[in-house]
Every structure is written in structure tokens, then in C-alpha cells.
Amino acid sequence: MAAFADLCISGTNDKKRLQSIIETAAHLGYSTVAINHLVEVQPKKQEIGKPKCVSELFDHFPIVQGRSRPIRVLNRLTLVVSDTSHFRQTADFKFYDIIAIYPKTEKVFHAACMSCDVDIICIAATEKQPFHFKRPPVFGAIERGVFFEISYAAAIKDSTMRRYTISNAISLMETCKGKNVIVSSGAEKPLELRGPYDIANLGLLFGLSEGDAKAAVSANCRAALLHGETRKTALGIIRTVKKSQPADEREDKEAPPSKKAKLDAM
Amino acid sequence: MVRFKSRYLLCEVCVSNPSDLRLLDERAVFFAVKAAVSRAHGDYGTALIGMCFSVKYLNAHTGVVFLRCRKSHYRMLWSALPFISSLESRGQRVPCFFNCLHVGGTIRTCQKFLIRYNTQQLHRLLPRCRSDKERSEVRKAVLSCSLKVFRNDEEEDDEDWGGEEVAE
């Protein structure tokens, strides 16, 4: 069984609130959480900026309920895009573990599914989806391993939002048949989080089957994370990591000379 | 004659301020859950749940609640639980949420699970004790309870609560 993950927690400057959200998530049994940074993309050039270092939040990360490991905290970037030409890959992307896109129009949705290098496509929760989900882009996204995200915090807060969220989710499920869907919180307060099993059951309201609903909080989240990790690597095979100087030298000495020569020859 | 099968949902009420838990009572939980079901599933859902829904047990120290309903419709009840965001109790609104821990077919399996869960919580909380004296006090309290011949889950809960308070 894959561990549970919540890939969307609203990032705030309020450190205390963020800490209490993460503590609650650990208490509920989430092994991984991602702090969301929402950016509205403008046509002109703009700075996305670096996220805050995760390790500054806690001295000791809280232990996950039912496990002995501490919780894992990641950074996530969500781009709100209303025109295809606005989406441009920048160098800032490499500071984030996951990149998500929130398409405002059908054209952007099509581009996000077929060509953009993103991990997650967000589905509107606070308004009626302004376009229909067509089969070719959705299947294209599933083929590429891009995930669709439904967030439930708005549904908890308000009755009309709940209607929008459920109807948007079900119209998505009609097209994608429950594949490649993740459900995440989007919580701004600790009391907006819900337990992973409750969410798996809430998935039934969203039109997911039992197995798909469970995968939406566990296995699919892990797949989305791994998809994000491949961006930092070359074709998902090779990864370069900067090492501190002394460690580097030691490794050079330790490496057998024959192997080194072979590498040089290549 | 076949008996009516039911499902017991073992839920934990999570609040931001632990002292708010004292305000909980069975009526408040009953009406909050019923209102949530009627909001989520309308009149039809309320009618199905209303047949046999009851709050079997409530522990105001740890915030543990047993909910009982018919086996055929328990998913309807469960899918409405995430939409509860506050409880109305003694004229006060307590912001909270329900976290479902276990779903069982009999109240006995739920009790067994709760005992195991509370022992786990105790193990989680013990390292938070600041000094050795605190730790030994908690140990003594736990041992004094468990030596009794008559044992039920309520005592188990009290131990957990005691541990929590010392840790804080």
C-alpha cells in the first residue's frame, strides 16, 4: 500500500499556521504534503521567485500517525494561465518539486494536456468549469502521465462551491473514467483537512470507483511526485547532484583507476 | 429470522483547542451529523439514515465517537461526514472536523481497535515528556489503572488523556 499524500496545502507567510496545518496532516496519517505557491501568469515577464526552504519550518518534523518516519514536505508551484502564449518554462521551475497548471480556457487546457511540461492539471472548484472536457486532450494527458486534481477545501466551506466541485468532478470522470485523478485538500486552515480514508470515501461522491478513490489519495499522488522528479533528471535516467568539495575529492580517490579511464575514453 | 446488520463508525472529533472537547455531548453530535447528511444527500438520504442512526458512545476527553447506522447505507453517512465543519453545543459553536478511524461490523471490534489505537497514542505522546519525573508519573498512572481486575475501554481512554495532559 502506498502511503497517503496531500499535494496541495496553501502556502502562507504565516509560519505558525503552516506548522499547525502540517502537524494536523501528520496526525491524520499523511506521509507527504506539498506547500502550494499560487502564481497568476502575466503576459509581461515576471519573477516567480524561490520558495522558502522547507527545513526552516521545523527543527524536528512531526512523526506520521501509524508510522515511524517523519512527514515529508515539498514545494509546489501552481500557475494560473489564461492564454497559451503566457506559459513559458523558466529557470525558477527547478526550485519546485511539482508544477501544476490551472487552465482558464479550453485552448490552455488542450495545450496543458498535450504539450506543456507539467505534472498536475487543476480542475475548477470555485466556479462552473467554463468548458467541456473533450476526449482527445484528456486521453493525451493520461498517456503522458499528467494528473488531474480536484481540491475539496472549497466544497467543505460552502454549499454552492460544493455543487460546483461535484459537478465539475463528475463531468471530468465521465471523460477520464476515473484514471489519473488525484484528490487534494487546498486547505488554508488546519480544520479544513480531512483524513485520507474520509477522502477516499468522498471520492464516491465525485464519481470515482472504490479502488480509484483510494488510488487518488495514495498511488496516484506518488506517481505525480515521481513525474515531477523526472524533470530534474535527463530523460529520467541520469541525475546530477552537487556535492560539497571534500566529499567530491574523496570519491575521486576511491574510484578505481581503470573505471575512470574507461569513462574518459567514452 | 435474520438480524439487521449495522456498521459502527469509530470517529475522532478534532478541534484546535483541546479544552473545547469538554463541551461535546451526544445530542450535539447527533444533530450535527444529521444536518450534514441532509445537506449532502437531501430528504432521501436523511430518511435512509434516520432509520437506525444513533450515537452509541462519546468520550469527551479524547473526542472519540461511535456512530451506528444500517449496513446498507453507511457509505451515505460516511460521505457526509467530511462536510461537518462545526458543532453546536450549549449555545456555542465549536469549529471541528470528524476523522474516521475505523469502520466495524460489531461494537466489539471497534472497542478492540480503539484500545490498540489509544496505546499507540500513548507511545506517540510519551517521548514528549520533558523530564524523567513526568515520565515516571505517567507510567505510574498507567500502571495503577491497568492493575484493576475490572477493565473496560473507558479506563484505557483516561490513561491516554492523562498522558496528553502531562505532555502539555
Side-chain angles (χ1 to χ4, degrees):
Chain A
M1 192 195 76
F4 296 112
D6 186 352
L7 294 187
C8 184
I9 282 177
S10 293
T12 46
N13 290 327
D14 192 354
K15 195 175 161 190
K16 221 168 199 176
R17 195 199 288 174
L18 211 54
Q19 277 176 346
S20 73
I21 293 180
I22 291 169
E23 266 165 17
T24 316
H27 174 75
L28 290 175
Y30 290 106
S31 308
T32 312
V33 291
I35 300 167
N36 190 20
H37 299 261
L38 195 70
V39 174
E40 194 120 4
V41 177
Q42 261 98 39
K44 296 257 173 64
K45 83 167 197 91
Q46 56 158 4
E47 294 284 305
I48 291 170
K50 276 190 202 178
K52 275 197 194 122
C53 194
V54 170
S55 52
E56 278 173 22
L57 270 174
F58 286 103
D59 293 334
H60 299 286
F61 282 94
I63 304 286
V64 180
Q65 173 91 43
R67 286 166 190 255
S68 50
R69 273 180 300 141
I71 194 167
R72 208 169 136 216
V73 183
L74 305 168
N75 279 307
R76 158 194 162 148
L77 177 70
T78 305
L79 299 163
V80 182
V81 184
S82 48
D83 195 290
T84 323
S85 59
H86 297 170
F87 180 81
R88 224 171 295 108
Q89 199 147 8
T90 58
D92 290 332
F93 278 19
K94 68 169 186 280
F95 298 121
Y96 294 91
D97 298 296
I98 312 168
I99 309 289
I101 189 168
Y102 181 81
K104 284 278 188 191
T105 61
E106 183 154 16
K107 262 189 183 166
V108 181
F109 180 73
H110 193 277
C113 287
M114 302 306 276
S115 56
C116 292
D117 186 17
V118 292
D119 311 313
I120 295 172
I121 299 167
C122 300
I123 305 301
T126 52
E127 57 184 4
K128 196 156 171 30
Q129 192 77 21
F131 51 85
H132 278 293
F133 299 105
K134 292 219 177 98
R135 222 151 252 236
V138 170
F139 278 21
I142 293 173
E143 198 100 305
R144 290 174 59 221
V146 177
F147 288 83
F148 297 99
E149 182 193 56
I150 304 162
S151 81
Y152 61 82
I156 284 165
K157 268 186 270 181
D158 186 58
S159 170
T160 31
M161 302 289 177
R162 190 175 311 153
R163 283 168 205 176
Y164 289 140
T165 310
I166 293 176
S167 72
N168 291 341
I170 287 181
S171 73
L172 173 71
M173 293 322 155
E174 277 170 358
T175 332
C176 78
K177 309 251 166 60
K179 276 184 214 128
N180 279 37
V181 175
I182 61 177
V183 182
S184 62
S185 70
E188 286 162 3
K189 281 177 268 169
L191 286 180
E192 282 167 10
L193 281 171
R194 294 293 182 268
Y197 291 105
D198 290 337
I199 295 314
N201 202 57
L202 191 69
L204 299 181
L205 282 192
F206 293 156
L208 288 161
S209 75
E210 233 169 280
D212 290 333
K214 183 113 184 280
V217 278
S218 54
N220 287 357
C221 290
R222 186 168 173 272
L225 272 180
L226 292 176
H227 191 266
E229 255 168 44
T230 56
R231 194 178 306 104
K232 290 178 187 165
T233 61
L235 300 170
I237 301 167
I238 303 164
R239 178 179 194 169
T240 52
V241 182
K242 244 186 199 163
K243 270 185 158 180
S244 54
Q245 205 55 42
D248 234 343
E249 283 171 13
R250 209 182 305 136
E251 201 169 65
D252 278 354
K253 275 176 203 163
E254 275 172 13
S258 61
K259 215 175 190 179
K260 215 177 166 190
K262 230 185 214 171
L263 276 175
D264 287 342
M266 275 162 83
Chain B
M1 185 66 192
V2 184
R3 74 188 163 109
F4 283 117
K5 292 201 174 164
S6 30
R7 281 274 180 270
Y8 296 88
L9 275 81
L10 170 61
C11 299
E12 185 189 22
V13 182
C14 301
V15 291
S16 47
N17 188 3
S19 63
D20 284 347
L21 278 176
R22 308 281 169 85
L23 291 169
L24 285 184
D25 60 355
E26 293 186 5
R27 274 174 62 84
V29 174
F30 182 84
F31 285 114
V33 172
K34 219 160 187 201
V37 171
S38 90
R39 256 181 295 143
H41 298 295
D43 294 339
Y44 177 70
T46 322
L48 289 182
I49 297 300
M51 278 195 297
C52 159
F53 172 63
S54 61
V55 179
K56 277 278 164 191
Y57 168 80
L58 182 137
N59 189 327
H61 297 310
T62 51
V64 168
V65 179
F66 276 17
L67 303 176
R68 178 197 179 172
C69 82
R70 284 275 162 85
K71 189 188 169 187
S72 45
H73 318 299
Y74 81 99
R75 286 204 175 268
M76 219 170 226
L77 175 71
W78 196 2
S79 58
L81 281 185
F83 296 122
I84 298 172
S85 57
S86 67
L87 286 173
E88 192 96 27
S89 155
R90 289 175 210 164
Q92 273 178 295
R93 264 170 73 88
V94 184
C96 69
F97 69 91
F98 277 64
N99 174 30
C100 192
L101 301 172
H102 182 78
V103 180
T106 56
I107 209 159
R108 205 176 135 70
T109 56
C110 287
Q111 188 200 10
K112 276 184 190 163
F113 176 87
L114 184 61
I115 291 173
R116 212 174 56 229
Y117 177 79
N118 279 335
T119 342
Q120 247 175 44
Q121 295 303 304
L122 195 65
H123 287 310
R124 260 168 72 92
L125 290 170
L126 261 182
R128 280 206 223 162
C129 294
R130 272 180 221 103
S131 63
D132 280 346
K133 200 183 163 203
E134 263 182 9
R135 197 165 303 162
S136 63
E137 258 172 48
V138 173
R139 283 230 172 95
K140 212 182 277 173
V142 170
L143 282 176
S144 71
C145 292
S146 55
L147 277 178
K148 280 177 195 165
V149 181
F150 179 71
R151 231 178 107 157
N152 57 16
D153 69 315
E154 211 165 312
E155 281 176 7
E156 198 78 35
D157 287 339
D158 284 345
E159 291 160 26
D160 181 26
W161 171 62
E164 216 164 25
E165 192 161 76
V166 173
E168 276 161 18

